[in-house]
Amino acid sequence: MMIHPATAHFAMVLPVVASALGIAYLINRQEIFSKLSSMALFFTALAMGVVWYTGSQAGPEIYDFLSEAGQHQLVEHKELGLYLAIAMGIIFVLKIIGCQSKKFAIEALAIILLLAATVVTFAQGKAGGEIVYNHGTPFKSYMIIDTLNETTIAVEEEEEVEAKLEVYEEALEDIKLIDEELEIFYGNEAPKLED
C-alpha cells in the first residue's frame, strides 16, 4: 500500500503554515510567533523526511508503469525530494539556533530560506502530479479493466460468433476513446492509434 500521496499533502501544507507564522514573527517580533514558527518548522522538516522516505518506497512500485519520460522525471523528483528534506532540516536547525540565542538575523535568514523552500515544495508537488497523471495514467487502467469486464459479460450473452466479434470490436473502440480522452484531459497529445 502506497502512503506517499497522503504524506505528500502534509509536506505541502506544513511549509505554508510555518512560513505564515515566520512572516508574522518578522512583522511583529513577538516571542510567541518565534516559538510557534519554530514548532511548525520542526513538523515541516519531519514531514519532509517522511514524505521523502515514503516516496523512495513507492517509486520502485510505479517505475515500470511509467513512460520513459516519466521514469526520468521520477528519478529527478526523488533527488529533489531528498534535497528538500535536507534543506528543511538545516533551516530548522538555523531557526532553533536563532530562537535559542535570540538572534533575530539568524531567525530572519531561516524564514527567508523557508519561503524559498516552500516555493520549491510547490514545484515538487506539481512535478509529482505530472508523474502520476501525465506519465502513469492510473485511471486509464481502471477504465480499461471496467470496459473489458463489461465486454466479457456481453460476449457470454451472445451466441453467434459474429455477434461476439462485434462486441469485442466495440470494446476496442471504447478503449481507444478512453485513451484519447484521458490523454487530452491531462494535457498530452492524443496518441495516434491504428485501426
Side-chain angles (χ1 to χ4, degrees):
M1 180 175 130
M2 273 197 277
I3 61 170
H4 180 67
T7 60
H9 289 93
F10 286 103
M12 297 293 292
V13 172
L14 287 171
V16 174
V17 172
S19 294
L21 290 167
I23 290 169
Y25 173 63
L26 291 178
I27 291 170
N28 64 32
R29 294 193 187 194
Q30 290 181 3
E31 187 177 351
I32 185 70
F33 285 111
S34 173
K35 290 181 179 179
L36 286 173
S37 64
S38 295
M39 186 184 316
L41 190 49
F42 167 75
F43 287 111
T44 299
L46 184 65
M48 283 293 176
V50 169
V51 80
W52 175 81
Y53 176 77
T54 60
S56 66
Q57 299 300 306
E61 292 181 33
I62 67 164
Y63 186 84
D64 291 335
F65 296 105
L66 297 174
S67 64
E68 187 176 336
Q71 290 173 347
H72 178 71
Q73 193 171 350
L74 180 65
V75 171
E76 290 178 352
H77 186 67
K78 180 183 177 183
E79 289 174 5
L80 182 56
L82 177 60
Y83 298 145
L84 274 170
I86 292 168
M88 285 298 183
I90 292 169
I91 294 167
F92 170 67
V93 169
L94 272 176
K95 181 73 170 73
I96 288 300
I97 290 170
C99 186
Q100 294 296 317
S101 64
K102 301 200 184 302
K103 301 274 185 183
F104 179 76
I106 295 174
E107 284 191 90
L109 174 63
I111 293 166
I112 291 167
L113 292 173
L114 172 62
L115 292 171
T118 300
V119 171
V120 175
T121 299
F122 278 102
Q124 175 76 333
K126 182 180 182 298
E130 289 173 358
I131 290 168
V132 172
Y133 295 114
N134 292 0
H135 300 291
T137 57
F139 301 115
K140 187 188 300 184
S141 299
Y142 293 122
M143 294 172 80
I144 290 171
I145 289 169
D146 284 345
T147 300
L148 292 174
N149 286 335
E150 290 170 9
T151 301
T152 301
I153 293 167
V155 166
E156 289 175 359
E157 293 173 358
E158 296 292 341
E159 292 184 19
E160 295 180 20
V161 173
E162 299 240 358
K164 290 180 185 220
L165 183 58
E166 190 175 309
V167 171
Y168 280 124
E169 289 173 346
E170 288 174 9
L172 185 57
E173 287 301 314
D174 289 344
I175 289 170
K176 286 179 183 178
L177 285 174
I178 289 168
D179 184 52
E180 290 172 3
E181 289 173 358
L182 282 172
E183 289 300 316
I184 291 167
F185 178 79
Y186 292 126
N188 298 327
E189 187 176 323
K192 294 179 175 69
L193 300 172
E194 296 179 12
D195 291 332

